[in-house]
Amino acid sequence: GALDSVDFTTFLAELCDELARSLLPPGRACRVEADPLVLGPDRAVSLALIVNELVTNAIKHGTGDVAVRLERGEPDCRLTVRNGGRPEPEPGGHQPSGFGMQMVAATVSRLDGRLERSVDADGTTFTVEFPPDLPQPPDLRLVAGRAESA
């Protein structure tokens, strides 16, 4: 039958793995921590576009490891993509605000979500908060690599 839900946690890990393999230089890692999350296919595709763009940017503009975190919350979920290390200055000194980030902003608003960017001495973090579009299964949280029932 039609695909009515996507295990976004597994998908996220595979997507980041793929991006890391094709884009990350040796000596840098991309780490993913994610709570179990299921999404409808449209929302999953939209979020995948956002992750793809933010992780690609993090790899391109940062100098350290990339950390991706997906937290399932009430009522909203939170996705953070952080690149460690000093952001490389853009030519002309401006931050990435090209087509990719415009697409991310548009996609986030289509998800009824919010997008924030924060920069500190150790790197840049993008945070996307969005409501899930499906009821979630009982909460199994991944704690230090062990699945534990809350």
Side-chain angles (χ1 to χ4, degrees), residues 2-69:
L3 184 65
D4 52 4
S5 72
V6 174
D7 166 6
F8 196 76
T9 310
T10 303
F11 181 77
L12 179 67
E14 288 169 359
L15 174 61
C16 292
D17 206 44
E18 194 60 45
L19 290 168
R21 268 210 304 275
S22 54
L23 300 173
L24 261 186
R28 289 174 66 192
C30 181
R31 285 189 309 280
V32 178
E33 273 183 67
D35 292 340
L37 180 67
V38 291
L39 295 172
D42 290 348
R43 186 147 291 227
V45 166
S46 295
L47 205 56
L49 283 172
I50 292 168
V51 169
N52 187 62
E53 186 62 32
L54 292 180
V55 170
T56 300
N57 273 355
I59 291 171
K60 281 203 300 223
H61 299 291
T63 52
D65 291 349
V66 176
V68 180
R69 185 143 172 56

Coordinates of all heavy atoms in Angstrom, one line a residue, residues 2-69:
A2 N 0.2 2.4 0.1 CA 0.9 3.7 0.1 C 1.7 3.8 1.4 O 1.3 3.3 2.4 CB 0.0 4.8 -0.1
L3 N 2.8 4.5 1.2 CA 3.6 4.8 2.4 C 2.9 5.8 3.3 O 2.7 6.9 2.8 CB 5.0 5.3 1.9 CG 6.1 5.6 3.0 CD1 6.5 4.2 3.6 CD2 7.3 6.2 2.4
D4 N 2.5 5.4 4.5 CA 1.8 6.4 5.3 C 2.6 7.0 6.4 O 2.2 8.0 7.0 CB 0.5 5.9 5.8 CG 0.6 4.6 6.5 OD1 1.8 4.1 6.7 OD2 -0.4 4.0 6.9
S5 N 3.8 6.4 6.7 CA 4.6 6.9 7.7 C 6.1 6.6 7.5 O 6.4 5.5 6.9 CB 4.2 6.5 9.2 OG 4.6 5.2 9.3
V6 N 7.0 7.4 7.9 CA 8.4 7.2 7.7 C 9.1 7.2 9.1 O 8.8 8.1 9.9 CB 9.0 8.4 6.9 CG1 10.5 8.3 6.7 CG2 8.3 8.4 5.5
D7 N 9.9 6.2 9.3 CA 10.8 6.2 10.5 C 11.9 7.2 10.2 O 12.9 6.9 9.6 CB 11.3 4.7 10.7 CG 12.5 4.7 11.7 OD1 12.8 5.7 12.3 OD2 13.1 3.6 11.8
F8 N 11.7 8.4 10.7 CA 12.6 9.5 10.4 C 13.9 9.3 11.1 O 15.0 9.8 10.5 CB 12.0 10.9 10.7 CG 12.7 11.9 10.0 CD1 12.6 12.1 8.6 CD2 13.7 12.7 10.6 CE1 13.3 13.1 7.9 CE2 14.4 13.7 10.0 CZ 14.2 13.9 8.6
T9 N 14.0 8.7 12.2 CA 15.2 8.5 13.0 C 16.2 7.7 12.1 O 17.4 8.1 12.0 CB 14.9 7.8 14.3 OG1 13.8 8.4 14.9 CG2 16.1 7.8 15.2
T10 N 15.8 6.6 11.6 CA 16.7 5.7 10.8 C 17.1 6.5 9.5 O 18.3 6.5 9.1 CB 16.0 4.4 10.4 OG1 15.6 3.8 11.6 CG2 16.9 3.5 9.6
F11 N 16.1 7.1 8.9 CA 16.4 7.9 7.7 C 17.4 9.0 7.9 O 18.3 9.2 7.1 CB 15.0 8.5 7.2 CG 15.2 9.2 5.9 CD1 15.3 8.6 4.7 CD2 15.2 10.6 5.9 CE1 15.5 9.3 3.5 CE2 15.4 11.3 4.7 CZ 15.5 10.7 3.5
L12 N 17.3 9.7 9.0 CA 18.2 10.8 9.4 C 19.6 10.3 9.5 O 20.6 10.8 9.0 CB 17.8 11.4 10.7 CG 18.6 12.6 11.2 CD1 18.5 13.8 10.3 CD2 18.2 12.9 12.7
A13 N 19.8 9.1 10.2 CA 21.1 8.6 10.4 C 21.7 8.2 9.1 O 22.9 8.4 8.8 CB 21.0 7.3 11.3
E14 N 20.9 7.6 8.2 CA 21.4 7.2 6.9 C 21.8 8.4 6.0 O 22.8 8.4 5.3 CB 20.4 6.3 6.1 CG 20.3 4.9 6.8 CD 19.1 4.1 6.3 OE1 18.3 4.6 5.4 OE2 18.9 3.0 6.7
L15 N 20.9 9.4 6.0 CA 21.2 10.6 5.3 C 22.5 11.3 5.7 O 23.4 11.6 4.9 CB 20.0 11.6 5.4 CG 20.2 13.0 4.8 CD1 20.4 12.9 3.3 CD2 19.0 13.8 5.1
C16 N 22.7 11.4 7.0 CA 23.9 12.1 7.5 C 25.1 11.2 7.2 O 26.2 11.8 6.9 CB 23.8 12.3 9.0 SG 22.5 13.6 9.4
D17 N 25.0 9.9 7.3 CA 26.1 9.0 7.0 C 26.5 9.2 5.5 O 27.7 9.3 5.2 CB 25.5 7.6 7.2 CG 26.7 6.6 7.5 OD1 27.5 7.0 8.3 OD2 26.7 5.5 6.9
E18 N 25.5 9.3 4.6 CA 25.8 9.5 3.2 C 26.5 10.8 3.0 O 27.5 10.9 2.2 CB 24.4 9.5 2.5 CG 24.5 9.3 1.0 CD 25.1 8.0 0.6 OE1 24.8 6.9 1.2 OE2 26.0 8.1 -0.3
L19 N 26.0 11.9 3.6 CA 26.6 13.2 3.4 C 28.1 13.2 3.9 O 29.0 13.8 3.3 CB 25.8 14.3 4.1 CG 24.4 14.6 3.5 CD1 23.6 15.4 4.4 CD2 24.6 15.3 2.2
A20 N 28.2 12.6 5.1 CA 29.6 12.5 5.7 C 30.5 11.8 4.8 O 31.7 12.2 4.6 CB 29.5 11.9 7.1
R21 N 30.1 10.7 4.2 CA 30.9 9.9 3.4 C 31.3 10.6 2.1 O 32.5 10.6 1.7 CB 30.2 8.6 3.0 CG 30.6 7.4 3.9 CD 30.5 6.1 3.2 NE 29.2 5.9 2.5 CZ 28.2 5.4 3.1 NH1 28.3 5.0 4.4 NH2 27.0 5.3 2.5
S22 N 30.4 11.4 1.6 CA 30.7 12.1 0.3 C 31.4 13.4 0.5 O 32.1 13.9 -0.4 CB 29.5 12.2 -0.6 OG 28.4 12.8 0.1
L23 N 31.2 14.1 1.6 CA 31.6 15.5 1.7 C 32.7 15.7 2.8 O 33.4 16.7 2.7 CB 30.4 16.4 2.0 CG 29.3 16.5 1.0 CD1 28.2 17.3 1.5 CD2 29.8 17.0 -0.4
L24 N 32.7 15.0 3.9 CA 33.5 15.3 5.1 C 35.0 15.0 4.8 O 35.3 13.8 4.4 CB 33.1 14.6 6.3 CG 32.2 15.2 7.3 CD1 32.1 14.3 8.6 CD2 32.7 16.6 7.8
P25 N 35.9 15.9 5.0 CA 37.3 15.6 4.9 C 37.7 14.7 6.0 O 37.1 14.6 7.1 CB 38.0 16.9 5.0 CG 37.0 17.9 5.6 CD 35.7 17.3 5.4
P26 N 38.8 13.9 5.8 CA 39.3 13.0 6.9 C 39.6 13.8 8.2 O 39.9 15.0 8.1 CB 40.7 12.5 6.3 CG 40.6 12.8 4.9 CD 39.7 13.9 4.6
G27 N 39.4 13.2 9.3 CA 39.6 13.9 10.6 C 38.4 14.6 11.1 O 38.4 15.1 12.3
R28 N 37.3 14.7 10.4 CA 36.1 15.3 10.9 C 35.0 14.3 10.9 O 35.0 13.4 10.0 CB 35.7 16.5 10.0 CG 36.6 17.7 10.2 CD 36.3 18.8 9.2 NE 34.9 19.4 9.5 CZ 34.3 20.2 8.7 NH1 34.8 20.5 7.5 NH2 33.1 20.7 9.0
A29 N 34.1 14.4 11.9 CA 33.0 13.4 12.0 C 31.7 14.1 12.0 O 31.6 15.3 12.2 CB 33.2 12.6 13.3
C30 N 30.7 13.3 11.6 CA 29.3 13.8 11.8 C 28.6 12.8 12.7 O 28.4 11.6 12.4 CB 28.6 13.8 10.4 SG 26.9 14.4 10.4
R31 N 28.1 13.4 13.9 CA 27.5 12.5 14.9 C 26.0 12.8 14.9 O 25.6 14.0 14.8 CB 28.1 12.8 16.2 CG 29.4 12.2 16.5 CD 29.9 12.3 17.9 NE 29.7 13.7 18.4 CZ 30.6 14.7 18.1 NH1 31.7 14.4 17.4 NH2 30.5 15.9 18.6
V32 N 25.2 11.8 15.0 CA 23.8 11.9 15.0 C 23.2 11.3 16.3 O 23.6 10.2 16.7 CB 23.1 11.2 13.8 CG1 21.6 11.3 13.8 CG2 23.7 11.7 12.5
E33 N 22.4 12.1 17.0 CA 21.6 11.6 18.1 C 20.2 11.9 17.9 O 19.8 13.0 17.6 CB 22.0 12.3 19.4 CG 23.2 11.8 20.1 CD 23.4 12.7 21.4 OE1 22.5 12.6 22.3 OE2 24.4 13.4 21.5
A34 N 19.3 10.9 17.9 CA 17.9 11.1 17.6 C 17.0 10.3 18.4 O 17.2 9.1 18.6 CB 17.7 10.8 16.1
D35 N 15.9 11.0 18.9 CA 14.8 10.3 19.5 C 14.0 9.6 18.4 O 14.0 10.1 17.3 CB 13.9 11.3 20.3 CG 14.6 11.9 21.5 OD1 15.6 11.3 22.0 OD2 14.1 12.9 21.9
P36 N 13.3 8.5 18.8 CA 12.4 7.9 17.8 C 11.4 8.9 17.3 O 10.7 9.6 18.1 CB 11.8 6.7 18.5 CG 12.6 6.5 19.7 CD 13.3 7.8 20.1
L37 N 11.2 9.0 16.0 CA 10.2 9.9 15.5 C 9.6 9.3 14.2 O 10.4 8.9 13.3 CB 10.9 11.3 15.2 CG 10.0 12.3 14.6 CD1 8.9 12.8 15.6 CD2 10.8 13.5 14.1
V38 N 8.3 9.3 14.1 CA 7.7 8.9 12.8 C 7.0 10.2 12.2 O 6.4 11.0 13.0 CB 6.7 7.8 12.9 CG1 7.4 6.5 13.2 CG2 5.6 8.1 13.9
L39 N 7.1 10.3 10.9 CA 6.5 11.5 10.2 C 5.7 11.0 9.0 O 6.1 9.9 8.5 CB 7.5 12.5 9.8 CG 8.4 13.2 10.9 CD1 9.5 14.0 10.3 CD2 7.5 14.1 11.7
G40 N 4.7 11.8 8.6 CA 4.1 11.5 7.3 C 5.1 11.7 6.2 O 6.1 12.5 6.4
P41 N 4.9 11.1 5.0 CA 5.9 11.2 3.9 C 6.2 12.6 3.5 O 7.4 12.9 3.2 CB 5.3 10.4 2.8 CG 4.0 10.0 3.2 CD 3.8 10.2 4.7
D42 N 5.2 13.5 3.4 CA 5.5 14.9 2.9 C 6.4 15.6 3.9 O 7.3 16.3 3.5 CB 4.2 15.6 2.8 CG 3.4 15.1 1.6 OD1 3.9 14.3 0.8 OD2 2.2 15.5 1.4
R43 N 6.0 15.5 5.2 CA 6.8 16.2 6.2 C 8.2 15.6 6.3 O 9.2 16.3 6.5 CB 6.1 16.0 7.6 CG 6.7 16.7 8.7 CD 5.7 17.2 9.7 NE 4.8 18.2 9.1 CZ 4.5 19.3 9.7 NH1 4.9 19.6 10.9 NH2 3.7 20.2 9.0
A44 N 8.3 14.3 6.1 CA 9.7 13.6 6.1 C 10.5 14.2 5.0 O 11.7 14.4 5.2 CB 9.5 12.1 6.1
V45 N 9.9 14.3 3.8 CA 10.7 14.8 2.7 C 11.1 16.3 2.9 O 12.3 16.6 2.7 CB 9.9 14.7 1.4 CG1 10.5 15.5 0.2 CG2 9.8 13.2 0.9
S46 N 10.2 17.1 3.4 CA 10.6 18.5 3.7 C 11.7 18.6 4.7 O 12.6 19.3 4.5 CB 9.3 19.2 4.3 OG 8.3 19.3 3.3
L47 N 11.6 17.8 5.8 CA 12.7 17.8 6.8 C 14.0 17.3 6.3 O 15.0 17.8 6.6 CB 12.2 17.0 8.0 CG 12.8 17.3 9.3 CD1 12.6 18.8 9.7 CD2 12.3 16.5 10.5
A48 N 13.9 16.3 5.4 CA 15.1 15.7 4.8 C 15.8 16.8 3.9 O 17.1 16.9 3.9 CB 14.8 14.5 3.9
L49 N 15.0 17.6 3.2 CA 15.6 18.7 2.5 C 16.4 19.7 3.4 O 17.5 20.2 3.1 CB 14.5 19.5 1.7 CG 14.0 18.9 0.4 CD1 12.8 19.7 -0.1 CD2 15.1 18.9 -0.6
I50 N 15.7 20.0 4.5 CA 16.3 20.9 5.5 C 17.6 20.4 6.0 O 18.6 21.0 6.1 CB 15.3 21.2 6.6 CG1 14.1 22.0 6.1 CG2 16.0 21.9 7.8 CD1 12.9 22.1 7.0
V51 N 17.6 19.1 6.5 CA 18.7 18.4 7.0 C 19.9 18.4 6.0 O 21.0 18.7 6.3 CB 18.4 17.0 7.5 CG1 19.7 16.2 7.8 CG2 17.5 17.0 8.7
N52 N 19.5 18.0 4.8 CA 20.5 18.0 3.7 C 21.3 19.3 3.5 O 22.5 19.3 3.5 CB 19.8 17.5 2.4 CG 20.8 17.3 1.3 OD1 21.6 16.4 1.4 ND2 20.8 18.1 0.3
E53 N 20.5 20.4 3.5 CA 21.1 21.7 3.3 C 21.9 22.1 4.5 O 23.0 22.6 4.4 CB 19.9 22.7 3.0 CG 20.4 24.1 2.7 CD 21.2 24.1 1.4 OE1 21.0 23.3 0.4 OE2 22.1 25.0 1.3
L54 N 21.3 22.0 5.7 CA 22.0 22.4 6.9 C 23.3 21.6 7.2 O 24.3 22.2 7.6 CB 21.1 22.3 8.2 CG 19.9 23.3 8.2 CD1 19.1 23.1 9.4 CD2 20.4 24.8 8.0
V55 N 23.3 20.3 7.0 CA 24.5 19.5 7.2 C 25.5 19.8 6.1 O 26.7 19.9 6.4 CB 24.1 18.0 7.2 CG1 25.4 17.1 7.2 CG2 23.3 17.7 8.5
T56 N 25.1 19.9 4.9 CA 26.0 20.3 3.8 C 26.7 21.6 4.1 O 27.9 21.8 4.0 CB 25.3 20.4 2.4 OG1 24.7 19.1 2.2 CG2 26.3 20.7 1.3
N57 N 25.9 22.6 4.6 CA 26.5 23.9 5.0 C 27.5 23.8 6.1 O 28.5 24.4 6.1 CB 25.4 24.9 5.4 CG 24.8 25.6 4.3 OD1 25.3 25.5 3.1 ND2 23.8 26.4 4.5
A58 N 27.1 23.0 7.1 CA 27.9 22.8 8.3 C 29.3 22.2 7.9 O 30.3 22.6 8.4 CB 27.2 21.9 9.3
I59 N 29.2 21.2 7.0 CA 30.5 20.6 6.5 C 31.3 21.6 5.7 O 32.5 21.8 5.9 CB 30.2 19.4 5.6 CG1 29.6 18.3 6.5 CG2 31.4 18.9 4.9 CD1 29.0 17.1 5.7
K60 N 30.6 22.4 4.9 CA 31.3 23.4 4.0 C 31.9 24.6 4.8 O 33.0 25.1 4.5 CB 30.4 23.9 2.9 CG 30.3 22.9 1.8 CD 29.9 23.6 0.5 CE 28.5 24.4 0.6 NZ 27.7 24.1 -0.6
H61 N 31.1 25.1 5.8 CA 31.5 26.3 6.4 C 32.2 26.2 7.8 O 32.7 27.2 8.3 CB 30.2 27.2 6.6 CG 29.6 27.6 5.3 ND1 30.2 28.4 4.4 CD2 28.5 27.2 4.7 CE1 29.4 28.5 3.3 NE2 28.4 27.8 3.5
G62 N 32.1 25.0 8.4 CA 32.8 24.8 9.7 C 34.1 24.1 9.5 O 34.5 23.7 8.4
T63 N 34.8 24.0 10.6 CA 36.1 23.3 10.5 C 36.2 22.1 11.4 O 37.2 21.4 11.4 CB 37.2 24.3 10.9 OG1 36.9 24.9 12.2 CG2 37.4 25.4 9.9
G64 N 35.2 22.0 12.3 CA 35.2 20.8 13.2 C 34.2 19.8 12.9 O 33.7 19.7 11.8
D65 N 33.8 19.0 13.9 CA 32.8 18.0 13.7 C 31.4 18.6 13.6 O 31.2 19.7 14.0 CB 32.8 17.0 14.9 CG 34.1 16.2 15.0 OD1 34.9 16.2 14.0 OD2 34.3 15.5 16.0
V66 N 30.6 17.8 13.0 CA 29.2 18.2 12.8 C 28.3 17.3 13.7 O 28.5 16.1 13.8 CB 28.7 18.0 11.3 CG1 27.2 18.3 11.2 CG2 29.6 18.9 10.4
A67 N 27.4 18.0 14.5 CA 26.5 17.2 15.4 C 25.1 17.5 15.0 O 24.7 18.6 14.9 CB 26.8 17.7 16.8
V68 N 24.4 16.4 14.8 CA 22.9 16.5 14.4 C 22.1 15.9 15.5 O 22.4 14.8 16.0 CB 22.7 15.8 13.1 CG1 21.2 15.9 12.7 CG2 23.5 16.3 12.0
R69 N 21.2 16.6 16.0 CA 20.4 16.1 17.1 C 18.9 16.3 16.8 O 18.5 17.4 16.4 CB 20.7 16.9 18.4 CG 20.1 16.3 19.6 CD 21.0 16.4 20.8 NE 20.2 16.0 22.0 CZ 19.5 14.9 22.2 NH1 19.4 14.0 21.2 NH2 18.8 14.7 23.3

